[in-house]
Structure formats: C-alpha cells, structure tokens
Amino acid sequence: GSSISCPVQRTSMTPATKTAASNLSSLGRRALAMASPRPLSTKRSSPPAAIFLNASRLNYDGALDFGRLSSLTALTLHPVDCARDPAEILSLVSSTRAEIVITKEMELPASVLRRFGPHVRLLCEAGTGYNNLPVSVAREEKNVDVCNVPEYSTEAVAHCAVTYLMNFSMSMFQQQAALQRGDRSNFTDKVSVPLTELGGKTLGLVGGAGRIGSCVAEVALALGMEVAISSRKGRLPEGHRLAGRERVRVVGKVDDLLPVSDYVSIHCPLNDETRGSFGREQLEKMKRSAFLINTARGAILNEEELVECMREGVIAGAGLDTQSSEPPPPESGLWSLPNVWMTPHTGWRRIETRQRLIDQTADNIEAYINTGKATNVVN
C-alpha cells in the first residue's frame, strides 16, 4: 500500500529554555512525565486516536477484521510491513495525534519515542515479545505504558515446533526434497532415509517451563516421549502443570539436557543474557543424530556457528521458524544448507491466530479506555 507522507513539525528553543532543559535531572524528567495527566474514559467526548504503524505485518493478506478496534478508537492502519524511517514514524504519530501506538515486531528506537508528543499514552505490541520497544524509556522518561499480548499464539507456536518434530522423525523434508529433484528411489528401491518412532525418545526443552514450552511438552507426552526441561532452580514452580508428571525431568543447566535429548526445542525469551547463547559449544554437546528446533527468537542462536556446525554434520538437522534477521540476508549460509529447514516465522501467522491477536489487542485497549490502565502492561 501507499505510505502517508506528512511533514515533521519542528520547534525551536530559546537559549534560556535550552539551559533549563539541560539542568533537568533524569529524576526530574521522570517526575514531569509522571505528572502528565492520563485521560480517563469518563471524561472522553470522542474515542482516542490510534495508529497501527505496520499493519501489513499482521494483515498481509487483507483477511483480518479490525472492526472491534475501529469501534473503540479512531484507528489508522499504516499499510506497510515495517516503518523504518524515524521521520516517517514521527510524522504519522504526530499527524494522527495518536494516543495509542500499535506495532508488530517493529523496532521503535528510543530516540524516536523520546520525540513523541504528550498525546501518546500507550504503546501496544501486537505480539508476545517486546524486545523491539524501549520499555524503560517509555516508563522512566515518558510515563507511557507498554503492553503486549502474551497468550494469543501459545498453541499455534507449540504446534509449529511439534510439526518440525514429527517431520524430522519421518525424514519428511528429505523425502519431499528428493521428489523435487526428480529422485524417486525411495519409491522404486529401498527407502534410504531414517525413519524413527517418537515414543520413548527424549525431547529437551530450553526454557520449557513457560507457556509455549509447556504446551509442547504436553503434546510430546501424549506422543509417548520423555521430556527434559532446563530450569535455573532445577525444579518447576509449585503448581506448575508439569510438576510431578511421569516422564518429565528437570535439570538445572541447559548443558545437562543436551547429551540426553534426541530433539532440542528452544522456547526462552530473547534478552541480553540469551542473545547468541546457543552456538557451537551447545551443538557439540548434542547427539550427532539429534535435531534442533527454534520457534522462539532467531537471535538466541549464534547463526554463524550454527552454519559452520551444520556444514560439518555436528547434528542431524535444524528446523528454524525464526532467524536473527527475517528474512536472512541473501548471503546467509542458512539458505543453502541441505540439513537446515526454515519457515518465515509462521508460528503466529495462521489466520485464527492473527485474528485472536487483533481481538486481544483490542481487549488491552478497551481496558485502558475504561480504566485508564491497559492489561498486560510490561513496564
């Protein structure tokens, strides 16, 4: 779709104003932000303005219904996959006088957020992960709430991981690749690819105590698998759905589950500690016959080391629904590896999942309109 082009408004400061501003401490700036009035629904004469800065990231096929969001707000849908130009972002937010700014997996630089006008009161990430948003700046400098939608895709992403798991057990990817290149020998001669049952095999879950990992574990248990979960405390929280279950064991370190797992699936969040944390050292601890699955965030893997290890056959294969850069750059070795299979972050893209995301984003915004406070605030 076409982009909206609006001039960025600029204001000048007098020397006295500049001096006063420079003398404000961070505490003082925060106090000023906290003093900014938050609009309450009881005093509203019109719905709040909202802008979805990259609506096409979610509604790329035009199949979704934004009716509820439109009924709650004066909604503007910016029809791009990602708005990258800071001037464009500022212009869009300023020209619409948006009180609510919605993004989907789109980086919003702190420098841009700092220039938002006081009319912006709520940032909504239409998704679970919010590492793309400067949440501390939003709170400490702007007193802007940031909310996410933590549970819209739990089963969908879990089933994506299980889809990889089941395909690997049947060498389904290899069989289809052979047919595509005209090789029918698996039909006309003996079957030449490994075929294994899942019952009795071990699935190692990195970050498996969370919602998605736990859902994967439930399916794996139904398939007769053993499940190993890494947890820093070496145990599951009290009352956890998997606590005390047969065929579930908890280990204190990721390295403890790697040697015993036939499949390893990653489900931890991306943060400073996990970024690039899974590379050669971890891959070399896995069984040579094992498979790696990542439906979390691509940057958790050290992709350079992953490519090297896959070329060397350190493990049997990898299934990546996420990559550190989406899509990977043309020169990435991931594209050409015969033992790496990729999908374009499809775990959340099923139509029902995307519609649920819109509806639950509307839930967050409706709570904000009615009470002055959104649900699922993360800062």
Side-chain angles (χ1 to χ4, degrees):
S2 60
S3 297
I4 301 172
S5 178
C6 304
V8 179
Q9 296 181 353
R10 296 180 173 84
T11 57
S12 59
M13 300 175 67
T14 66
T17 304
K18 289 180 179 179
T19 301
S22 65
N23 289 333
L24 276 175
S25 65
S26 60
L27 182 61
R29 287 195 299 271
R30 184 176 181 183
L32 285 176
M34 296 291 283
S36 300
R38 187 179 297 278
L40 297 177
S41 61
T42 55
K43 298 181 180 179
R44 290 186 184 276
S45 58
S46 59
I51 184 166
F52 198 147
L53 286 174
N54 61 326
S56 292
R57 177 71 173 168
L58 188 57
N59 195 30
Y60 53 85
D61 53 1
L64 303 181
D65 180 6
F66 287 87
R68 183 152 170 256
L69 265 179
S70 296
S71 71
L72 293 168
T73 67
L75 180 64
T76 299
L77 299 175
H78 187 47
V80 299
D81 182 76
C82 182
R84 292 184 174 88
D85 179 35
E88 179 189 28
I89 296 171
L90 288 166
S91 181
L92 288 164
V93 172
S94 175
S95 64
T96 58
R97 301 292 297 173
E99 183 175 331
I100 301 164
V101 176
I102 307 169
T103 59
K104 173 61 178 171
E105 298 175 349
M106 188 195 95
E107 182 181 1
L108 181 65
S111 59
V112 174
L113 174 60
R114 289 188 175 103
R115 295 176 63 187
F116 281 180
H119 51 85
V120 176
R121 306 307 308 151
L122 178 66
L123 293 181
C124 294
E125 173 60 22
T128 302
Y130 48 88
N131 54 290
N132 53 305
L133 300 176
V135 293
S136 60
V137 171
R139 170 59 60 215
E140 296 171 7
E141 299 183 30
K142 304 291 288 186
N143 193 31
V144 169
D145 284 346
V146 178
C147 63
N148 71 335
V149 185
E151 297 187 42
Y152 80 100
S153 63
T154 299
E155 289 191 353
V157 176
H159 294 173
C160 179
V162 173
T163 299
Y164 270 112
L165 175 69
M166 298 184 79
N167 274 280
F168 285 143
S169 74
M170 287 290 294
S171 294
M172 197 72 74
F173 295 122
Q174 297 95 318
Q175 293 190 60
Q176 292 305 308
L179 288 177
Q180 290 297 315
R181 61 176 181 265
D183 180 356
R184 302 178 183 178
S185 58
N186 284 319
F187 289 82
T188 59
D189 199 349
K190 63 182 180 180
V191 175
S192 61
V193 293
L195 305 172
T196 60
E197 293 184 353
L198 290 173
K201 301 297 189 298
T202 298
L203 172 62
L205 298 172
V206 179
R211 294 183 184 93
I212 296 173
S214 297
C215 188
V216 173
E218 294 277 12
V219 178
L221 291 171
L223 294 171
M225 300 186 75
E226 307 280 333
V227 174
I229 299 173
S230 64
S231 172
R232 290 179 181 177
K233 296 182 178 180
R235 57 180 172 79
L236 295 172
E238 186 176 349
H240 192 281
R241 63 199 276 190
L242 297 174
R245 294 281 295 273
E246 291 186 7
R247 292 184 282 119
V248 175
R249 56 181 145 164
V250 183
V251 298
K253 298 179 181 178
V254 172
D255 287 355
D256 294 335
L257 67 76
L258 298 177
V260 300
S261 298
D262 300 290
Y263 304 88
V264 173
S265 189
I266 296 177
H267 299 284
C268 54
L270 175 64
N271 51 42
D272 291 341
E273 185 176 352
T274 62
R275 186 180 298 274
S277 62
F278 203 103
R280 177 176 286 275
E281 181 181 350
Q282 290 70 37
L283 291 163
E284 289 183 341
K285 288 182 170 67
M286 293 172 62
K287 297 179 180 180
R288 198 171 185 86
S289 58
F291 292 88
L292 174 68
I293 299 166
N294 187 16
T295 56
R297 288 289 185 264
I300 294 169
L301 300 181
N302 183 322
E303 283 187 358
E304 183 177 345
E305 293 183 3
L306 173 66
V307 169
E308 292 173 355
C309 288
M310 300 313 296
R311 284 174 176 159
E312 297 167 14
V314 172
I315 61 173
L320 312 177
D321 189 50
T322 58
Q323 302 84 38
S324 60
S325 176
E326 296 177 355
E331 66 275 11
S332 171
L334 293 174
W335 293 113
S336 57
L337 288 167
N339 52 357
V340 172
W341 294 269
M342 296 192 294
T343 42
H345 206 161
T346 54
W348 61 268
R349 291 182 192 263
R350 296 171 225 217
I351 188 166
E352 300 91 344
T353 315
R354 289 182 288 136
Q355 186 61 55
R356 185 181 306 114
L357 175 54
I358 293 174
D359 295 340
Q360 292 185 7
T361 299
D363 291 340
N364 284 348
I365 291 173
E366 185 172 32
Y368 164 77
I369 293 171
N370 290 337
T371 69
K373 189 75 172 179
T375 50
N376 300 312
V377 172
V378 298
N379 66 336

